[in-house]
Amino acid sequence: MDKTNFNMIKITFPDGSVRNYEQGVTGIQIAESISPALARSVVSCSVNGEIVELNRPINTDATIALYKFDDEEGKKTFWHTSAHLLAEALQELYPGIQFGFGPSVENGFFYDVMPAEGQVISENDLPKIEAKMLELAKKDEPVIRKEVSKADALKAFKADGQAYKYEHIDQDLEDGTITTYTQGHFTDLCRGPHLTSTGLIKAVKLTNVAGAFWRGDAKREQMTRIYGISFPKKKLLDEYLLLLEEAKKRDHRKIGKDMELFMFSERVGKGLPIWLPKGTQLRLRLQELLRGLLRPYNYQEVITPGIGSKSLYVTSGHYAHYGKDAFQPIHTPEEDEEYMLKPMNCPHQKNMIITESEKRIFAIKPMNCPGAIEIFKTRTRSYKDLPLRIAEFGTVFRYEKSGELHGLTRVRTFTQDDAHIFVRPDQVRSEFENNIDIILKVFKTFKFDNYEAQISLRDPKDKEKYIGSDEIWDESENAIREACKEKGLQAHEEVGEAAFYGPKLDFMVKDAIGRKWQLGTIQVDYNLPARFELEYTADDNSKKTPVMLHRAPFGSLERFVAVLIEHTAGHFPLWLTPDQVVILPISEKYNDYAHEVEQQLHTVNVRAIIDDRNEKIGRKIRDSELKRIPYMLVVGEKEAAEGLVSMRQQGGGEQATMIIKDFAQRINDEVENQLKDLR
């Protein structure tokens, strides 16, 4: 036997092919063996599922995947190293600066820093920091990984005066888990992975400066957070900046204000949206759309309270798992102040209300599930009663941090188009498939044609985050895999993204300008029915525990509306838009005729409004365009005399003169055509 074979290892690629390499081969060497072009474009690789640097030696048989910047894993590595490059630049520009955490994020990276006394970093400083980053990147500094002991790490970062790094090492890390990465004169505490060199970073844009509390704790110091993004080619940065400009035009906060859909009030509170009349009507039409989709499936709609007894949420697990996102207590004059003080010391009781009369603690509702469970328990259930489908447009509450609030996409109260479906184990797959159909029908209705399905699994390395046995989790995860396979739905798996009570299928939608949003979700839950001791009588007269599915095709109405606004730039389908038609009299003389037109349109269910302001017709047209009203009807002397309207389409489209009846028929035909596939 050739002894050299003992130095060879087998490398398996994603397509199943296998190649032999010498022991100690690296990812970059494997890429070079395939093609020089590939070697120039890869930025990281995974070895047996772990993302590592391209220069990390591989000493045993392994599966490998090579990642370019275009890949999500490649972007994470690229942006992680860019965060370190930002820190290196800050270290040179701001002597004495201290560093917190600097991860990659969905669109770029950030670093939390504490400038030295007398130093302030503002957005005006970003160009000079960018310039320093590019200057350092051109040096093509190698990024060197080193494993260190906890004692040595503490000693090194203490010597550098890095108090935050020292605290992190001291409180969070153990021997055998600590690595550092060095580039140039900058060393950072980090798990990696990283680029092999900073020279791959060719374009940088620092986007904004914000405040962030150390460790996310509002009681700790507020640090300066600097956000940025980077690319391997300047062309990619230029394209990104154009995308940012387009995103600004589509910002749902601005369009929502222009269209008078919703508002926020400081007096009411941050993150608490107020739906205006037009926005409320839009929401109600979305709800009616979903009710129509659910009719063939025999759903029963319910309403549950906005608060519930603490014991309810302790049993469900929400009390423990949502404590950090809870609201502060609400005090009323009837409450016993002394009694209130004691339970408030527990961090998980921030959202508690205690009533004087009952001495009971109540929680503001974080999720709708427990209410549906209590409805199931109202009477004895038989296998013949299942599936039992309970739907609710349920409003829930989470205490999001002020810095994380953003329009309708991140709020402190939101309404889920929720449903909880109780099934026998043999019904799980078919019911799951039904809900896939419902979600895909919603996407088709709103032209969300570009989407990905993600099976969100628990992290087996962090089982304390979840409830339930390994057997139940395996059964739940396999049920989702089988349903996706049956529906021909290509779904990738994401470890650590499951709900605490069960795995789920999430739908990630890309909007018109390529941004990814998580919308619809379906979850399999064997755990909550067992925790609440739910039972049904099986066909053999034995008692069985049902399985519960959670599903929300929109996700939440707030988030869905925000995404829909930005996807369509506010140009909603005609059936959904708040105002289908605006009537524009040329002068006050024709206001009476405008009201006649409005009345005729209302009688045939066309939503019309009148702009009878004393303004020039050009101004009225421009304002109607801003409000995204699909049709404008200009009326003047000729129209009033002959019973006509002069139609203009939004965006400078078709113009025509016609009788009112024909125009109304056109609107109703267009609406009917848009909705025909849903009936």
Side-chain angles (χ1 to χ4, degrees):
M1 181 184 292
D2 185 353
K3 293 183 179 180
T4 59
N5 287 337
F6 288 109
N7 296 322
M8 303 300 288
I9 58 174
K10 295 182 183 297
I11 298 297
T12 304
F13 293 89
D15 63 359
S17 63
V18 180
R19 292 192 185 193
N20 294 321
Y21 291 91
E22 287 188 9
Q23 191 178 55
V25 69
T26 63
I28 191 64
Q29 290 171 334
I30 292 172
E32 287 169 345
S33 74
I34 298 171
S35 81
L38 177 62
R40 288 192 297 271
S41 60
V42 293
V43 295
S44 63
C45 63
S46 70
V47 178
N48 294 330
E50 179 187 2
I51 312 296
V52 299
E53 291 83 16
L54 288 168
N55 57 5
R56 190 91 64 90
I58 305 171
N59 295 309
T60 61
D61 293 348
T63 59
I64 189 172
L66 298 168
Y67 300 123
K68 302 178 182 180
F69 178 80
D70 292 339
D71 299 311
E72 184 175 344
E73 295 84 353
K75 284 186 171 69
K76 287 179 181 178
T77 301
F78 196 94
W79 288 335
H80 196 171
T81 303
S82 300
H84 281 219
L85 183 64
L86 167 61
E88 184 184 6
L90 291 169
Q91 180 179 260
E92 291 207 8
L93 292 170
Y94 300 91
I97 194 168
Q98 294 195 42
F99 298 101
F101 297 121
S104 63
V105 290
E106 185 176 358
N107 284 301
F109 56 89
F110 70 77
Y111 218 115
D112 289 342
V113 297
M114 179 65 76
E117 188 174 350
Q119 295 176 349
V120 176
I121 301 175
S122 70
E123 296 201 0
N124 293 331
D125 299 309
L126 298 185
K128 75 175 180 182
I129 302 172
E130 288 173 10
K132 177 59 71 172
M133 290 177 69
L134 292 173
E135 175 190 321
L136 294 169
K138 286 177 182 177
K139 293 182 179 181
D140 197 17
E141 298 169 333
V143 183
I144 301 168
R145 179 179 183 272
K146 183 180 179 181
E147 295 183 1
V148 297
S149 69
K150 182 172 183 176
D152 286 346
L154 287 168
K155 182 178 178 181
F157 284 97
K158 183 177 183 180
D160 287 343
Q162 292 297 328
Y164 299 103
K165 295 290 184 183
Y166 184 94
E167 179 184 319
H168 175 46
I169 298 167
D170 184 48
Q171 296 186 9
D172 304 330
L173 304 183
E174 301 293 338
D175 276 333
T177 64
I178 301 176
T179 54
T180 63
Y181 285 81
T182 299
Q183 58 199 57
H185 299 293
F186 176 73
T187 297
D188 206 352
L189 179 74
C190 187
R191 288 180 299 181
H194 282 280
L195 303 175
T196 57
S197 165
T198 60
L200 294 173
I201 302 170
K202 304 294 186 184
V204 174
K205 180 65 179 177
L206 299 181
T207 52
N208 68 296
V209 177
F213 293 108
W214 169 236
R215 292 179 174 271
D217 185 348
K219 296 179 181 178
R220 298 295 303 272
E221 308 92 294
Q222 187 172 63
M223 307 183 80
T224 299
R225 176 171 292 182
I226 303 174
Y227 287 94
I229 195 165
S230 59
F231 298 92
K233 296 178 182 178
K234 186 177 182 302
K235 178 186 175 185
L236 295 175
L237 174 59
D238 293 339
E239 291 172 354
Y240 175 77
L241 293 177
L242 287 175
L243 194 66
L244 279 184
E245 287 302 312
E246 181 62 26
K248 286 181 182 177
K249 296 176 187 175
R250 293 171 175 262
D251 190 328
H252 75 276
R253 294 168 298 178
K254 182 180 184 304
I255 293 174
K257 183 178 180 180
D258 291 340
M259 296 183 71
E260 300 175 3
L261 300 179
F262 58 88
M263 63 171 282
F264 290 90
S265 164
E266 285 293 328
R267 284 176 178 254
V268 173
K270 292 181 179 179
L272 304 174
I274 297 172
W275 290 88
L276 300 173
K278 296 181 191 298
T280 299
Q281 288 302 312
L282 183 144
R283 272 183 56 140
L284 291 173
R285 276 189 280 278
L286 288 173
Q287 291 178 205
E288 282 307 308
L289 168 74
L290 189 57
R291 287 187 178 108
L293 291 176
L294 298 184
R295 283 190 191 103
Y297 299 98
N298 193 30
Y299 276 82
Q300 301 176 59
E301 190 171 340
V302 301
I303 299 172
T304 61
I307 65 172
S309 172
K310 167 190 167 183
S311 62
L312 181 71
Y313 298 109
V314 168
T315 303
S316 71
H318 293 98
Y319 179 67
H321 289 271
Y322 284 95
K324 64 181 180 180
D325 296 322
F327 275 95
Q328 295 293 326
I330 299 174
H331 297 262
T332 64
E334 293 78 21
E335 291 169 353
D336 183 321
E337 186 174 349
E338 185 176 350
Y339 183 76
M340 286 288 292
L341 292 175
K342 293 178 182 178
M344 291 310 115
N345 293 328
C346 173
H348 294 319
Q349 293 185 345
K350 293 179 181 177
N351 64 335
M352 298 298 106
I353 305 169
I354 302 178
T355 65
E356 166 69 14
S357 58
E358 299 177 86
K359 297 290 187 185
R360 294 182 67 190
I361 302 174
F362 289 81
I364 297 176
K365 182 167 65 171
M367 292 290 276
N368 297 306
C369 338
I373 289 171
E374 290 301 305
I375 291 171
F376 181 93
K377 295 178 71 174
T378 54
R379 63 180 177 84
T380 302
R381 305 287 178 178
S382 158
Y383 72 96
K384 295 180 181 179
D385 297 323
L386 306 183
L388 175 63
R389 304 177 180 98
I390 298 174
E392 177 179 13
F393 291 99
T395 300
V396 297
F397 305 85
R398 310 274 175 81
Y399 188 76
E400 302 286 357
K401 294 170 185 173
S402 295
E404 296 174 347
L405 299 173
H406 182 83
L408 293 180
T409 60
R410 200 70 179 265
V411 290
R412 288 172 169 165
T413 179
F414 53 93
T415 301
Q416 296 174 309
D417 56 320
D418 228 341
H420 300 92
I421 307 154
F422 300 89
V423 297
R424 305 189 308 265
D426 63 293
Q427 296 171 322
V428 170
R429 200 170 89 181
S430 62
E431 195 64 28
F432 201 97
E433 291 169 11
N434 287 343
N435 281 284
I436 291 175
D437 290 339
I438 291 170
I439 288 176
L440 295 185
K441 215 162 192 180
V442 168
F443 288 177
K444 181 180 178 182
T445 300
F446 295 101
K447 296 185 170 57
F448 287 126
D449 303 319
N450 191 354
Y451 60 85
E452 299 172 0
Q454 172 182 300
I455 301 176
S456 297
L457 309 173
R458 73 167 173 169
D459 184 353
K461 299 176 183 177
D462 193 9
K463 293 183 181 179
E464 290 184 1
K465 287 172 54 179
Y466 311 95
I467 58 177
S469 67
D470 290 346
E471 293 76 16
I472 282 177
W473 276 89
D474 290 342
E475 190 172 354
S476 303
E477 290 171 353
N478 287 331
I480 296 178
R481 291 187 182 105
E482 290 171 5
C484 290
K485 184 177 179 181
E486 181 67 25
K487 299 301 294 184
L489 190 65
Q490 298 295 320
H492 69 277
E493 297 187 356
E494 198 70 39
V495 174
E497 294 298 315
F500 72 87
Y501 49 76
K504 55 182 179 170
L505 180 66
D506 291 323
F507 288 84
M508 320 301 288
V509 170
K510 281 191 176 180
D511 67 15
I513 57 175
R515 296 167 303 179
K516 189 184 292 186
W517 305 89
Q518 193 271 313
L519 291 181
T521 185
I522 316 170
Q523 302 168 8
V524 179
D525 184 358
Y526 287 76
N527 285 308
L528 291 186
R531 287 170 74 95
F532 279 91
E533 300 179 337
L534 301 189
E535 289 183 340
Y536 67 92
T537 304
D539 56 358
D540 62 359
N541 218 33
S542 65
K543 297 296 183 182
K544 303 287 186 183
T545 301
V547 183
M548 183 164 71
L549 301 186
H550 311 241
R551 72 100 186 98
F554 295 146
S556 81
L557 287 168
E558 285 74 11
R559 186 178 181 83
F560 188 85
V561 169
V563 174
L564 185 62
I565 288 172
E566 300 199 2
H567 180 61
T568 63
H571 300 290
F572 299 125
L574 191 62
W575 67 267
L576 178 64
T577 195
D579 298 318
Q580 296 171 323
V581 180
V582 58
I583 304 163
L584 308 176
I586 289 176
S587 72
E588 293 179 1
K589 290 191 298 183
Y590 307 107
N591 284 352
D592 289 344
Y593 180 64
H595 283 281
E596 288 181 28
V597 174
E598 178 192 37
Q599 186 58 39
Q600 289 190 50
L601 293 177
H602 283 178
T603 59
V604 288
N605 298 317
V606 174
R607 297 189 292 277
I609 60 171
I610 300 171
D611 183 352
D612 56 5
R613 295 175 298 159
N614 187 22
E615 296 281 357
K616 292 183 179 179
I617 193 67
R619 171 66 184 273
K620 292 181 179 182
I621 290 172
R622 285 193 299 273
D623 289 348
S624 298
E625 291 276 355
L626 188 66
K627 293 179 179 179
R628 277 78 170 172
I629 301 176
Y631 288 96
M632 290 164 270
L633 300 181
V634 179
V635 295
E637 183 178 3
K638 179 182 178 182
E639 289 80 14
E642 301 180 21
L644 303 172
V645 290
S646 292
M647 179 198 76
R648 299 172 61 99
Q649 270 190 308
Q650 164 77 216
E654 180 186 354
Q655 299 184 30
T657 300
M658 60 186 72
I659 63 175
I660 300 169
K661 181 181 177 182
D662 289 348
F663 173 76
Q665 187 63 50
R666 174 191 176 117
I667 297 297
N668 286 325
D669 287 348
E670 187 174 336
V671 168
E672 182 65 26
N673 189 54
Q674 290 176 355
L675 294 176
K676 66 181 179 181
D677 293 334
L678 300 174
R679 292 179 175 148

